[in-house]
Amino acid sequence: MKENTGKSKYVMLGMLALTPQTGYTIKKWLENEYSHFWQESYGQIYPTLKKLVEEGLAVSSHNSEHGNGRGQIIYTITEPGKKELSDWLSKAPEIEKFRYEILLKISFGDNTTKEVLLGHLDEFMKRNEKLLEDMNGYMEEMEGEKGQNFDCTYSKLTALCGIHLYSAMKAWAIEAKGIISAKGEKNHETKNT
Amino acid sequence: MKENTGKSKYVMLGMLALTPQTGYTIKKWLENEYSHFWQESYGQIYPTLKKLVEEGLAVSSHNSEHGNGRGQIIYTITEPGKKELSDWLSKAPEIEKFRYEILLKISFGDNTTKEVLLGHLDEFMKRNEKLLEDMNGYMEEMEGEKGQNFDCTYSKLTALCGIHLYSAMKAWAIEAKGIISAKGEKNHETKNT
DNA sequence: GAAAGCATGTAAAGTGTTACATGATTGG
DNA sequence: CCAATCATGTAACACTTTACATGCTTTC
């Protein structure tokens, strides 16, 4: 009845499966490579890492001699931790729930002006355009690196998902702007010259 | 310092702007027409409606003579409520945070088998295919209705967003399956016939 | 010498879902 | 008569972010 910590637990395990590291580096890693589809705050990271140790899924080693700050705590995944991770990976992912505030605002469009909606859509379009460019750049980076050393097939797949998503959202925003813009001109062609 | 109730407040206002109604009918409405991009539970709906009345953004009328159950409470939006709604509509929508569990699982793909990932992707693809079909059906429905009575431009725009999204996710899943399937066959063409 | 970064952590508040309790009416 | 639907509501729990506190090292 007390199973707790939700997905964060598995995210930590996945991060530690990559390499033994600290809560701080996990946060940086998430911010840089995962932020487009996942995010965790320190408020979740540190308590979750502690629980991992309590449950025997990771071990911690305190390193006070290393250089900066108050010393770091390096977490390493254990065999039971690897088992827990791979068990979770086998289970069907939960169905994602979307919460698009922009769609909400468009739904309620009758309570505002066309101009307001067009403004939101324009920002949305530009944001997705930018994300698309960034993601394409990131993809090229990986394509370069890949020829050399690492197999980043899985990272490329998540980036590819971003590319599909951002392209779709950009295309939709452009289409939506067109439809809303055209909405004023009905069946009357009255001209008062 | 105590501003509370987040987006739910505005969702309720938007629903009441449509027509005066009960918490129950708001829930049904959300489930049927908005669930692909927004969801609220009774645990949010009822307390939020009460707060709306406290703040003067809606008024409630208790109807005990109407038929079933313990009677219903019909909420009606007020002028200040309409103002609050349209003010919120003008503000830039918050940037959406995605949490795609399937991308997380793919990222951690090295800790499981190709088969597991292909299975997840296949389910994801089918689910999005289904959603796409449903949304296309819904769109056609509206196209029929529209010729007759109501202007459902905004509902059609949100449905269109769904169509773009689901198509993109379906396409990605198919592509990703191909890439993962091909991953085993490297540079060796060994055949043991 | 100040700012930024490294590094840890927690308390409080905010946000959201689930499970339960209640009870009448309608349809099979 | 039983199940479903209409209809309200809350307490407990689960999840997540924000703001704060601490303090060393490195860079400008």
Side-chain angles (χ1 to χ4, degrees):
Chain A
M1 240 106 278
K2 197 192 161 193
E3 190 52 34
N4 251 16
T5 337
K7 310 276 156 57
S8 303
K9 176 175 168 180
Y10 303 106
V11 178
M12 297 305 116
L13 286 173
M15 291 291 145
L16 296 181
L18 238 48
T19 181
Q21 55 183 325
T22 70
Y24 187 82
T25 55
I26 287 175
K27 175 74 167 137
K28 293 298 135 189
W29 204 272
L30 286 170
E31 276 170 4
N32 295 328
E33 318 282 327
Y34 293 76
S35 60
H36 61 109
F37 63 87
W38 205 267
Q39 47 283 136
E40 299 278 351
S41 63
Y42 285 126
Q44 285 165 277
I45 292 172
Y46 286 117
T48 304
L49 287 170
K50 270 193 177 170
K51 271 175 207 155
L52 247 40
V53 175
E54 280 168 28
E55 293 175 34
L57 305 174
V59 289
S60 62
S61 65
H62 200 280
N63 179 4
S64 45
E65 316 294 329
H66 82 297
N68 38 9
R70 64 166 100 162
Q72 48 176 206
I73 299 170
I74 297 159
Y75 292 89
T76 306
I77 195 167
T78 61
E79 282 308 316
K82 284 182 192 169
K83 173 79 167 49
E84 185 87 358
L85 175 60
S86 94
D87 284 353
W88 174 72
L89 287 171
S90 306
K91 284 198 291 192
E94 226 172 64
I95 293 173
E96 44 284 314
K97 287 176 196 162
F98 293 105
R99 290 196 133 200
Y100 275 82
E101 201 179 323
I102 193 171
L103 291 187
L104 213 48
K105 293 200 170 180
I106 287 173
S107 301
F108 300 152
D110 286 328
N111 302 285
T112 188
T113 62
K114 275 171 50 170
E115 287 66 37
V116 161
L117 298 180
L118 288 170
H120 293 336
L121 279 166
D122 198 53
E123 267 186 58
F124 184 81
M125 194 266 279
K126 282 181 181 141
R127 180 153 48 82
N128 278 278
E129 195 167 49
K130 175 78 166 52
L131 286 165
L132 181 57
E133 280 165 23
D134 291 352
M135 200 53 84
N136 274 321
Y138 180 57
M139 187 64 111
E140 273 167 40
E141 235 179 73
M142 276 192 291
E143 233 121 52
E145 269 182 282
K146 193 214 174 180
Q148 300 166 332
N149 16 31
F150 286 110
D151 170 31
C152 42
T153 309
Y154 295 132
S155 299
K156 278 166 63 185
L157 283 180
T158 61
L160 188 63
C161 185
I163 290 170
H164 276 266
L165 176 68
Y166 301 140
S167 304
M169 290 302 97
K170 182 187 164 188
W172 168 73
I174 291 170
E175 214 179 322
K177 278 171 69 177
I179 291 169
I180 292 180
S181 296
K183 211 192 159 208
E185 302 103 46
K186 293 174 194 172
N187 39 358
H188 59 85
E189 285 168 15
T190 32
K191 261 184 188 175
N192 45 344
T193 323
Chain B
M1 240 107 277
K2 197 191 161 194
E3 191 50 32
N4 251 15
T5 337
K7 312 275 156 58
S8 303
K9 176 175 167 178
Y10 303 106
V11 178
M12 296 306 115
L13 286 173
M15 291 292 144
L16 296 181
L18 239 46
T19 181
Q21 55 183 324
T22 69
Y24 187 83
T25 56
I26 288 175
K27 175 75 167 136
K28 294 299 136 188
W29 204 273
L30 286 170
E31 277 170 4
N32 295 327
E33 318 283 326
Y34 294 78
S35 60
H36 62 107
F37 64 87
W38 205 268
Q39 46 283 137
E40 299 278 351
S41 64
Y42 285 125
Q44 284 165 278
I45 292 171
Y46 287 116
T48 303
L49 286 170
K50 270 193 178 171
K51 272 175 206 155
L52 248 39
V53 175
E54 281 168 28
E55 292 175 34
L57 305 175
V59 289
S60 63
S61 66
H62 201 282
N63 178 4
S64 44
E65 316 294 329
H66 81 296
N68 38 10
R70 61 165 101 164
Q72 46 175 210
I73 298 169
I74 298 158
Y75 292 89
T76 306
I77 195 166
T78 60
E79 281 308 317
K82 284 181 191 169
K83 172 81 167 50
E84 185 87 359
L85 175 60
S86 95
D87 285 353
W88 174 72
L89 287 171
S90 307
K91 286 198 290 191
E94 226 173 63
I95 294 173
E96 44 284 312
K97 288 177 197 162
F98 293 104
R99 292 195 130 199
Y100 275 82
E101 201 179 322
I102 192 169
L103 292 186
L104 212 50
K105 293 199 172 182
I106 287 173
S107 302
F108 299 153
D110 287 329
N111 302 283
T112 188
T113 63
K114 275 172 46 171
E115 287 68 36
V116 161
L117 298 179
L118 289 171
H120 292 336
L121 280 166
D122 198 53
E123 266 186 59
F124 184 81
M125 194 265 279
K126 282 181 181 141
R127 180 153 47 83
N128 279 279
E129 195 168 48
K130 175 77 165 54
L131 286 165
L132 181 57
E133 280 165 23
D134 290 352
M135 201 54 85
N136 275 320
Y138 180 56
M139 187 64 111
E140 274 168 40
E141 234 179 74
M142 276 192 290
E143 233 121 51
E145 269 182 284
K146 193 213 174 181
Q148 301 167 329
N149 15 32
F150 286 111
D151 171 32
C152 42
T153 309
Y154 296 133
S155 299
K156 277 165 65 185
L157 284 180
T158 61
L160 189 63
C161 184
I163 289 170
H164 276 266
L165 176 66
Y166 302 140
S167 303
M169 291 302 98
K170 182 187 164 185
W172 168 73
I174 292 170
E175 212 178 322
K177 277 172 70 178
I179 293 169
I180 292 181
S181 295
K183 210 192 160 208
E185 302 104 47
K186 292 173 197 173
N187 38 359
H188 58 83
E189 287 168 13
T190 33
K191 261 184 185 173
N192 47 343
T193 324

